[in-house]
């Protein structure tokens, strides 16, 4: 784990945390909460943030090896360190999966096999033969996705004409065009722009024969089809159409390649300059382009194509970002897709407040200061469609100024609102009031009403000075979030109305995340934030949001989870969000969702769901039990007035009995979602702060009885 460690110091009277109870509370929930609370406090970084590892599948290590091979650095020790990690993740059946217990995934398996071969593994070794057999049985290297094809072209296995065209001329399409880069999701945008430069220059490093992978093809690389086969990982279109967009885009792809083949590229130079400026501008105030692994990789290759030497400051800066994503442990190396300090810190603060840690505790005060230092105060990509909105909000990583997101902004806002100064003799709360209503985005403003009581008047001025930066940040965040509401009432992750579905059918969209449409889980969390801040009016914007969430309820009464696995995540988020906003827990639709949760409880008292439920929805709510998913279910049931139910008591008992002696939990499963059906993650702190949150709310409920 990359988190820092800080021992708990002594506390003053006003800062003292209630000791873990020695009384036998139901299933010792209070004692378990105390252990978990202390563990989390002790794992805060001295700078004030929390940071758990963010673990993905082996495509990260494999692609790093392939990049180093293209850079003629495959002899470096990091290659073997990554290879050791890749070997350890191989399935008994021979291939590699997207998540523990998952099926063989063809693209990741091809890259893993190839990376091991580059690292020196004998293709006749048992594990390599097993891998080769699994890959061929899964359709062979011909079946890999579009991004894997680019690696095959980069290292001379196939011609670039067998990759989908990603021309830099995309940069010249005006913003009013139905297809332009700002109609793509923010993460796709940051991948597509450097990849378009790679397409323009088509760099190639020829490998020696012994490092080629002909044995993985059912036919041969030369016989690989020019066009991408239909992707099995794309979700169906929500708005069904008779227009065969996939075939239309395939035709455009072939036509574009024909024009390039006859050297008809009249705007290429201008397009390259536009793409280059766009990319390099976004290196500023960022942990690499987009602060995520794939764009960093492609930006390094693009910079080299543009003539930057490996020793140049820009290339070195991007390589350094990859190094920061690298975790070395026991002779192995693995890479994170990005880092999550803002997200981890905001949830940790909320969980600690649920566990009774006072708002003025020094560690929470330090966390608040750190979060305030990460507020976005400059325009970003979102500004293109919202030029009149004041910057605000937060991003996910250490630095990613161009890309604040709604989910982090919500979570940080709730953490700040719960950390207003409180003392033995004073306690402050904040509520927001708006005259115009949030639908008036351009004129929308809020007033912050501070309420409290104190018999210590001299503290008032000090408290107000402490609160002012928090209140200002909250005001900006609420305004920014309001501006990001979509036409249909929902909220998405990064952008508003980023829902042009035809883009999901372009040939390079097989990562199943080409757009960023609104989702029920984020929309419900937005409503939770507004509810916590006192904005629960039934104005049209909120009514649209509620309707959006209700319309997304599944026939069996659960909700899909876009950003966590899966229906357990979505259902928890809606139950908590809507009840916090003021919807009655007795609403029949919420009660039906609570019954669904109870039906999915497992024999050991916990809950679990496999990521396979994205591919096979009949598996929803089923899978190995985990601490994080059990906590989500408990939180959802408590929100639905089921805190005294047998289901919640059994769930709490599961958390208590599975807790480790040091206060945390074990969890190997991936319960975070990057791209459904394509990429999943294990947030190493999910196993801790969500159970702490559930225990805290359960204990607080029992203490009210």
């Amino acid at each position: 784990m990359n988190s820092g460690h800080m021992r708990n110091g002594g506390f003053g009277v006003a800062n003292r945390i209630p000791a873990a109870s020695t009384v036998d509370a139901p299933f010792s929930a209070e004692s378990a909460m105390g252990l978990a609370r202390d563990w989390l406090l002790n794992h805060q970084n001295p700078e004030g943030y929390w940071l758990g590892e963010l673990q993905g599948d082996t495509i990260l290590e494999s692609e790093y090896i392939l990049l180093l091979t293209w850079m003629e650095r495959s002899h470096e020790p990091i290659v073997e360190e990554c290879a050791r990690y890749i070997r350890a993740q191989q399935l008994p059946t021979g291939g590699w999966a997207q998540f523990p217990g998952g099926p063989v995934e063809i693209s990741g398996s091809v890259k893993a096999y190839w990376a091991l071969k580059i690292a020196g593994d004998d293709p006749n070794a048992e594990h390599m033969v097993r891998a080769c057999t699994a890959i061929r049985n899964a359709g062979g290297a011909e079946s890999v996705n579009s991004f894997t094809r680019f690696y095959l072209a980069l290292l001379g296995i196939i011609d670039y004409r067998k990759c989908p065209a990603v021309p830099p001329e995309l940069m010249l399409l005006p913003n009013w065009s139905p297809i332009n880069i700002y109609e793509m999701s923010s993460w796709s945008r940051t991948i597509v722009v450097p990849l378009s430069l790679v397409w323009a220059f088509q760099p190639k490093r020829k490998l020696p024969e012994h490092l080629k992978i002909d044995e993985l093809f059912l036919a041969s690389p030369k016989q690989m089809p020019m066009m991408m086969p239909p992707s099995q990982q794309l979700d169906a279109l929500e708005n069904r159409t008779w227009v065969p967009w996939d075939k239309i885009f395939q035709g455009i792809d072939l036509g574009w390649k024909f024009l390039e083949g006859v050297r008809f590229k009249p705007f290429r130079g201008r397009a390259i300059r536009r793409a280059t400026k766009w990319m390099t501008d976004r290196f500023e105030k960022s942990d690499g382009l987009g602060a995520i692994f794939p764009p960093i990789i492609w930006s390094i290759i693009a910079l080299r194509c543009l003539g930057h030497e490996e020793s140049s400051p820009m290339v070195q800066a991007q390589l350094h970002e990859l190094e920061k994503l690298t975790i070395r442990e026991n002779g192995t190396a693995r890479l994170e897709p990005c880092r999550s300090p803002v997200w981890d810190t905001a949830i940790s603060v909320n969980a600690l407040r649920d566990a009774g840690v006072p708002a003025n505790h020094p560690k929470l005060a330090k966390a608040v200061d750190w979060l305030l230092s990460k507020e976005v105060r400059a325009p970003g990509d979102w500004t293109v469609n919202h030029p009149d909105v004041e910057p605000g909000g937060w991003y996910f990583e250490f630095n990613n100024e161009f890309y604040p997101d709604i989910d982090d902004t919500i979570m940080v806002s709730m953490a700040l609102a719960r950390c207003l100064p409180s003392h033995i003799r004073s306690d402050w709360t904040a509520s927001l009031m708006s005259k115009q209503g949030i639908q008036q985005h351009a004129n929308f403003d809020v007033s912050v009403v501070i309420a409290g009581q104190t018999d210590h008047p001299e503290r008032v001025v000090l408290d107000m000075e402490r609160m002012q930066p928090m209140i200002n940040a909250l005001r900006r965040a609420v305004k920014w979030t309001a501006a990001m509401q979509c036409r249909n009432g929902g909220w998405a992750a990064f952008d508003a109305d980023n829902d042009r579905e035809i883009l999901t059918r372009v040939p390079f969209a097989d990562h199943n995340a080409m757009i960023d449409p609104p989702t029920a889980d984020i929309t419900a969390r937005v409503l939770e934030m507004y509810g916590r801040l006192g904005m629960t009016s039934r104005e049209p914007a909120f009514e649209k949001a509620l309707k959006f969430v209700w319309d997304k309820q599944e026939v069996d009464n659960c909700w899909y989870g876009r950003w966590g696995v899966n229906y357990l995540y979505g259902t928890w988020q809606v139950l908590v969000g809507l009840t916090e906003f003021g919807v009655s827990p007795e609403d029949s639709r919420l009660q039906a969702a609570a019954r669904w949760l109870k039906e999915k409880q497992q024999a050991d008292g916990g809950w679990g769901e496999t990521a396979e439920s994205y591919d096979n929805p009949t598996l929803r709510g089923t899978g190995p039990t985990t601490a994080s998913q059990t906590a989500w279910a408990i939180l959802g049931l408590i929100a639905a007035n089921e805190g005294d139910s047998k289901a919640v008591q059994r769930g709490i008992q599961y958390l208590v009995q599975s807790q480790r002696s040091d206060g945390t939990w074990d969890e190997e499963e991936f319960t975070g979602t990057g791209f459904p059906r394509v990429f999943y993650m294990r947030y190493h702190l999910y196993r801790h702060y969500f159970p702490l949150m559930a225990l805290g709310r359960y204990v607080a409920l029992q203490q009210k009885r």
Side-chain angles (χ1 to χ4, degrees):
M1 184 176 293
N2 284 347
S3 57
H5 297 263
M6 178 184 280
R7 287 283 173 191
N8 228 0
F11 306 129
V13 174
N15 301 326
R16 187 174 296 133
I17 300 172
S21 174
T22 55
V23 180
D24 240 357
F27 315 119
S28 305
E30 199 170 348
S31 298
M33 180 191 75
L35 280 173
R37 175 202 65 206
D38 293 345
W39 185 97
L40 192 56
L41 285 168
N42 287 334
H43 282 75
Q44 186 183 28
N45 185 280
E47 291 183 22
Y49 62 82
W50 278 268
L51 177 64
E53 180 182 341
L54 191 55
Q55 182 180 356
D57 65 55
T58 59
I59 62 169
L60 302 164
E61 295 74 33
S62 301
E63 291 180 4
Y64 192 30
I65 289 175
L66 296 178
L67 170 69
L68 293 174
T69 302
W70 180 76
M71 298 177 70
E72 298 185 313
R73 291 173 51 184
S74 60
H75 59 282
E76 295 185 4
I78 186 66
V79 170
E80 175 53 30
E81 291 169 351
C82 286
R84 289 191 194 113
Y85 180 75
I86 293 169
R87 290 185 202 109
Q89 307 308 310
Q90 188 176 16
L91 297 172
T93 52
W96 285 262
Q98 296 169 334
F99 54 90
V104 171
E105 197 278 313
I106 186 67
S107 296
S109 296
V110 167
K111 285 182 282 195
Y113 176 96
W114 196 9
L116 292 181
K117 199 170 183 184
I118 289 168
D121 287 26
D122 185 344
N124 294 313
E126 187 275 335
H127 70 287
M128 294 291 277
V129 171
R130 192 159 31 96
C132 181
T133 301
I135 290 166
R136 291 176 64 86
N137 288 342
E142 291 92 340
S143 302
V144 297
N145 61 24
S146 58
F147 293 124
T148 305
R149 285 196 179 207
F150 272 97
Y151 282 104
L152 293 172
L154 188 69
L155 292 173
I157 302 297
I158 63 173
D159 188 88
Y160 273 95
R161 287 173 59 81
K162 296 185 178 182
C163 300
V166 187
E169 284 80 1
L170 285 168
M171 301 298 298
L172 304 180
L173 295 173
N175 294 344
W176 51 259
S177 169
I179 296 177
N180 68 79
I181 63 167
Y182 294 104
E183 292 292 335
M184 303 175 189
S185 61
S186 61
W187 52 85
S188 296
R189 200 179 309 141
T190 58
I191 295 171
V192 163
V193 174
L195 195 60
S196 75
L197 292 168
V198 174
W199 174 265
F201 290 97
Q202 301 194 357
K204 186 172 290 191
R205 184 84 64 200
K206 258 202 149 176
L207 294 178
E209 288 297 320
H210 72 280
L211 294 183
K212 293 183 178 179
I213 51 172
D214 289 20
E215 64 271 23
L216 300 185
F217 288 82
L218 300 185
S220 74
K222 288 183 179 179
Q223 294 174 275
M224 194 174 198
M226 186 76 71
M227 297 305 304
M228 295 288 301
S231 174
Q232 302 303 308
Q233 294 177 308
L234 286 178
D235 291 332
L237 296 175
E238 279 203 18
N239 300 306
R240 299 301 175 90
T241 175
W242 58 268
V243 180
W245 286 111
D246 51 350
K247 290 183 170 55
I248 290 172
F249 284 123
Q250 284 182 355
I252 293 172
D253 183 82
L254 287 172
W256 190 273
K257 289 172 181 174
F258 171 79
L259 291 175
E260 290 200 0
V262 298
R263 300 185 182 279
F264 184 75
K265 298 179 281 187
F267 304 109
R268 181 55 53 92
R270 183 181 167 201
I272 287 173
R273 289 190 295 274
R274 181 78 61 87
T276 301
K277 185 178 188 311
W278 191 96
M279 177 180 74
T280 55
D281 283 352
R282 282 155 182 77
F283 288 161
E284 297 298 320
K285 299 180 181 179
S286 173
D287 298 332
L289 182 59
I292 53 177
F293 176 88
I296 297 173
I297 290 278
W298 294 114
S299 65
I300 291 169
I301 299 168
L303 287 170
R304 297 289 286 117
C305 290
L306 291 165
H308 294 267
E309 296 296 330
E310 186 178 329
S311 59
S312 71
M314 273 202 283
V315 174
Q316 283 298 306
Q318 299 306 299
L319 287 169
H320 181 58
E321 296 301 338
L322 289 179
E323 179 61 31
K324 288 194 291 188
L325 294 176
T326 304
I327 297 172
R328 289 179 168 85
E329 186 177 68
N330 300 325
T332 70
R334 59 187 184 273
L335 285 92
E336 298 175 278
C338 60
R339 293 187 293 173
S340 55
V342 172
W343 183 243
D344 284 338
T345 301
I347 300 177
S348 294
V349 169
N350 279 295
L352 288 166
R353 291 292 287 125
D354 280 325
V357 178
N360 67 321
H361 185 276
K363 293 201 172 189
L364 294 192
K366 199 157 194 177
V368 165
D369 289 341
W370 186 86
L371 287 169
L372 288 173
S373 76
K374 296 300 174 182
E375 185 193 8
V376 171
R377 298 297 299 123
D381 280 12
W382 59 271
T383 315
V384 170
N385 294 318
H386 298 86
D388 299 324
V389 176
E390 181 184 11
W394 283 265
Y395 39 78
F396 184 78
E397 304 86 354
F398 281 107
N399 301 286
N400 196 10
E401 188 84 1
F402 279 87
Y403 300 104
D405 68 272
I406 286 89
D407 221 1
D408 278 276
T409 298
I410 301 161
M411 196 61 77
V412 174
S413 296
M414 291 192 290
L416 293 180
R418 300 181 72 184
C419 287
L420 294 173
S422 64
H423 304 276
I424 270 185
R425 302 183 195 176
S426 64
D427 193 20
W428 301 98
T429 60
S431 297
L432 302 181
M433 295 179 64
S434 168
K435 292 181 180 178
Q436 299 89 354
I438 75 165
Q439 69 271 25
Q440 304 297 326
H441 294 161
N443 301 313
F444 172 60
D445 204 352
V446 293
S447 300
V448 182
V449 179
I450 301 297
Q453 57 183 1
T454 179
D455 57 2
H456 214 224
E458 62 269 29
R459 293 289 317 176
V460 173
V461 173
L462 292 175
D463 285 352
M464 289 300 166
E465 288 178 354
R466 171 68 178 162
M467 280 189 278
Q468 197 60 54
M470 301 163 69
I471 291 167
N472 290 341
L474 275 171
R475 180 186 60 81
R476 288 187 290 266
V478 168
K479 289 178 62 178
W480 183 79
T481 302
M484 302 306 289
Q485 186 175 21
C486 299
R487 288 182 298 263
N488 62 7
W491 275 269
F494 287 84
D495 291 294
D497 302 317
N498 191 270
D499 55 4
R500 199 173 295 279
E501 282 195 301
I502 62 170
L503 286 174
T504 67
R505 292 323 188 239
V506 300
F508 53 85
D510 53 358
H511 59 300
N512 200 32
M514 195 66 180
I515 57 175
D516 181 14
T519 61
D521 47 8
I522 291 182
T523 302
R525 188 172 276 148
V526 171
L527 292 173
E528 178 186 0
M529 177 194 73
Y530 282 122
R532 284 185 177 274
L533 294 174
M535 294 182 69
T536 57
S537 65
R538 288 302 186 262
E539 60 177 277
F542 288 143
E543 291 294 345
K544 283 181 71 176
L546 287 168
K547 183 179 186 305
F548 174 84
V549 174
W550 292 130
D551 287 348
K552 293 294 182 181
Q553 190 168 22
E554 302 284 335
V555 293
D556 57 350
N557 303 309
C558 60
W559 275 270
Y560 175 85
R562 167 60 182 87
W563 295 99
V565 180
N566 173 353
Y567 295 90
L568 289 175
Y569 182 93
T571 304
W572 150 62
Q573 195 54 70
V574 170
L575 284 168
V576 171
L578 267 55
T579 53
E580 192 67 47
F581 185 70
V583 176
S584 170
E586 303 307 317
D587 185 288
S588 60
R589 294 161 292 188
L590 296 185
Q591 284 299 305
R595 285 194 297 275
W596 180 86
L597 283 175
K598 288 197 268 189
E599 289 166 4
K600 297 302 178 182
Q601 189 169 27
Q602 300 194 28
D604 61 4
W607 281 264
E609 182 173 355
T610 172
E612 282 190 82
S613 63
Y614 285 101
D615 290 282
N616 181 3
T618 64
L619 296 174
R620 65 182 74 184
T622 66
T625 49
T626 67
S628 61
Q629 291 169 319
T630 297
W632 298 342
I634 291 170
L635 289 165
L637 288 171
I638 289 174
N641 272 353
E642 292 283 349
D644 291 326
S645 67
K646 185 177 180 181
V648 166
Q649 291 176 3
R650 290 180 61 222
I652 292 294
Q653 186 175 23
Y654 170 86
L655 290 179
V656 170
Q657 292 180 345
S658 60
Q659 188 179 33
R660 294 182 349 192
S661 60
D662 63 352
T664 191
W665 288 262
D666 291 317
E667 184 169 296
E668 297 298 320
E669 286 72 23
F670 285 24
T671 61
T673 307
F675 305 153
R677 308 177 70 184
V678 173
F679 187 73
Y680 304 100
M681 295 171 289
R682 176 187 170 203
Y683 289 78
H684 281 219
L685 282 181
Y686 272 22
R687 66 185 166 92
H688 192 88
Y689 46 54
F690 284 123
L692 175 59
M693 190 178 288
L695 287 166
R697 293 187 190 180
Y698 176 78
V699 168
L701 191 66
Q702 297 306 307
Q703 290 174 344
K704 290 178 183 176
R705 296 289 187 254

